[in-house]
Amino acid sequence: MLFFTDVLLISVSILLVFILLRYYTRQKSYKKFIAQNEGKKFFCYNDRLVTKVFIETHVLPILPKEVEVVWVESRKPISLNYKRANISTMLYEINSLKGSFPFLVTIENGTIDYISLQQQTYKAIQDPGKTQWLLDVILGIFDDSDKS
C-alpha cells in the first residue's frame, strides 16, 4: 500500500510539473505572438451556417488585404498564418468578455482590442438592404484603428 501511495504521489507531482511547464510555455509563446503582431487586424467568424454563408459572400471579399481572417470550425480556429494555440488564446480572452462572433480584432499597445459585430451582422442578414451599411461599419472601424 505504501509503495502504491508513493508511486501515485510521484506521478501526480510529475504531471503537475508538466502541466505548469506547458502553461508557462504557451503564455510565453502568446506574449511573443502579441508583440510580433502589434498593429495587426483580424476578422474572426465561426461556422454558424447563417452567418458563415453571409460573411463569405459579402464581407470577406471587401476586407482590406492586411486583415487576417480567422475562421472557427467546431470551436477550433483555423488560420493559415498563425499557431492554433495563440489564436485560441486570443479568442478565449475575447470570448470570456462580452460579445459573440463575428469579431474585429486589433492588437494595439500589447493588448487585444475587439468589437463584436453580432448584432450588426444579424441585422444585415435579416434586411439585405443593410448589407452595405454593415460593410461600411466594418471598413470604418478598420479605418479608425489606422488613425490611432
Side-chain angles (χ1 to χ4, degrees), residues 45-49 52 71-78 84 88 91 101:
Y45 69 107
N46 62 2
D47 59 355
R48 189 162 186 192
L49 190 58
K52 180 181 182 295
W71 178 48
V72 178
E73 179 182 28
S74 301
R75 298 182 161 231
K76 294 178 184 168
I78 298 172
R84 180 178 283 172
S88 289
L91 293 175
F101 288 102

Side-chain angles (χ1 to χ4, degrees), residues 3-36:
F3 174 76
F4 178 73
T5 306
D6 290 344
V7 169
L8 184 62
L9 186 60
I10 290 170
S11 299
V12 168
S13 299
I14 290 172
L15 183 61
L16 183 59
V17 167
F18 176 76
I19 290 170
L20 288 173
L21 195 60
R22 186 169 182 206
Y23 171 79
Y24 287 116
T25 303
R26 281 192 174 187
Q27 287 300 105
K28 185 177 178 182
S29 174
Y30 182 63
K31 287 178 182 179
K32 186 177 177 182
F33 164 78
I34 295 296
Q36 289 176 336

Side-chain angles (χ1 to χ4, degrees), residues 77-94:
I78 298 172
S79 170
L80 300 176
N81 302 321
Y82 302 97
K83 288 168 90 176
R84 180 178 283 172
N86 289 331
I87 297 295
S88 289
T89 302
M90 179 178 78
L91 293 175
Y92 180 77
E93 279 186 18
I94 292 168

